[in-house]
Amino acid sequence: LAQAPAGQATSAQARRASPPPRGPRALPPRGAMMSIPGAADAAAKAKEEVKKKAEDIIREKAHWTMKPFMGCCGTVPVANSTTCLVPAEHRSAVEDAIKKYKEA
């Protein structure tokens, strides 16, 4: 068998040393977006904005009897447990806002 000069690998050794990426490892890791400077801050800011919009929608559409409890217990928990008090014409908007809040 022929020996390669010192410091150089034969083509077979080079292929074994660095196989091409296959399967799930071919894609960048899921956290690759977070390696971009400022991406984590932007993602957190976007989540907070979604949550704030959802809370605003819930406060606007909520029945007046629910509003006193929102200050001490939280807007979304109160709306989630008292959706029966939301007027029928606003119920789907409140349920969508609760769902968006929980997803964010």
Side-chain angles (χ1 to χ4, degrees):
L1 212 119
Q3 292 282 328
Q8 294 180 354
T10 63
S11 62
Q13 289 173 336
R15 280 193 301 265
R16 276 183 268 156
S18 60
R22 291 186 180 149
R25 294 180 185 222
L27 298 174
R30 291 183 186 209
M33 184 68 176
M34 294 301 135
S35 64
I36 298 172
D41 296 334
K45 188 175 180 181
K47 282 184 179 182
E48 287 300 317
E49 193 164 320
V50 167
K51 287 184 175 186
K52 185 177 180 334
K53 285 182 182 180
E55 287 179 348
D56 290 343
I57 290 171
I58 292 169
R59 278 191 216 105
E60 179 185 320
K61 307 282 184 183
H63 193 263
W64 66 271
T65 56
M66 296 166 56
K67 292 181 181 182
F69 300 103
M70 289 181 180
C72 62
C73 300
T75 304
V76 176
V78 169
N80 193 28
S81 61
T82 58
T83 53
C84 59
L85 295 176
V86 177
E89 62 268 8
H90 300 302
R91 189 166 294 149
S92 63
V94 169
E95 288 172 350
D96 290 342
I98 292 170
K99 184 178 176 183
K100 287 179 185 178
Y101 184 91
K102 288 183 176 183
E103 288 174 356

